Amino acid sequence: MRTVELMVRQGCGSCVRVEGEVRRVVDKHEALMRVVDVDTDPELALEYGDRVPVVVIDGDEFACWEVDADELDAELRR
């Protein structure tokens, strides 16, 4: 099973919008999705800074700020 993590921050409007887009694709593939608030972990906050939302698939960064649903769909089919 693939694991998709969405790195977000409270108060981030783009994070909310991207979460909806990503969740639709992830649910279609029955992958595991975790939403991670980077501000709850100092190391994550340092790593991602203001680069949220970030999509991480199986530990590898896939997209930052914007996510193309078709590209995400293709990646999860692999």
Side-chain angles (χ1 to χ4, degrees):
M1 175 179 284
R2 307 290 302 266
T3 300
V4 177
E5 293 176 295
L6 180 62
M7 304 303 180
V8 300
R9 166 173 280 122
Q10 294 296 316
C12 169
S14 294
C15 296
V16 173
R17 178 181 50 77
V18 168
E19 180 180 352
E21 295 169 5
V22 169
R23 190 170 298 280
R24 281 189 288 279
V25 177
V26 168
D27 287 350
K28 176 177 144 182
H29 290 277
E30 298 180 357
L32 175 64
M33 181 169 170
R34 293 182 46 222
V35 178
V36 180
D37 182 342
V38 299
D39 291 327
T40 62
D41 180 323
E43 288 183 28
L44 291 177
L46 184 62
E47 180 177 350
Y48 291 102
D50 291 333
R51 291 185 324 114
V52 291
V54 175
V55 177
V56 178
I57 301 175
D58 298 329
D60 295 321
E61 188 170 318
F62 174 76
C64 179
W65 292 309
E66 295 295 328
V67 179
D68 182 288
D70 292 334
E71 289 177 9
L72 178 59
D73 183 68
E75 176 63 28
L76 292 177
R77 273 196 311 254
R78 299 204 284 126

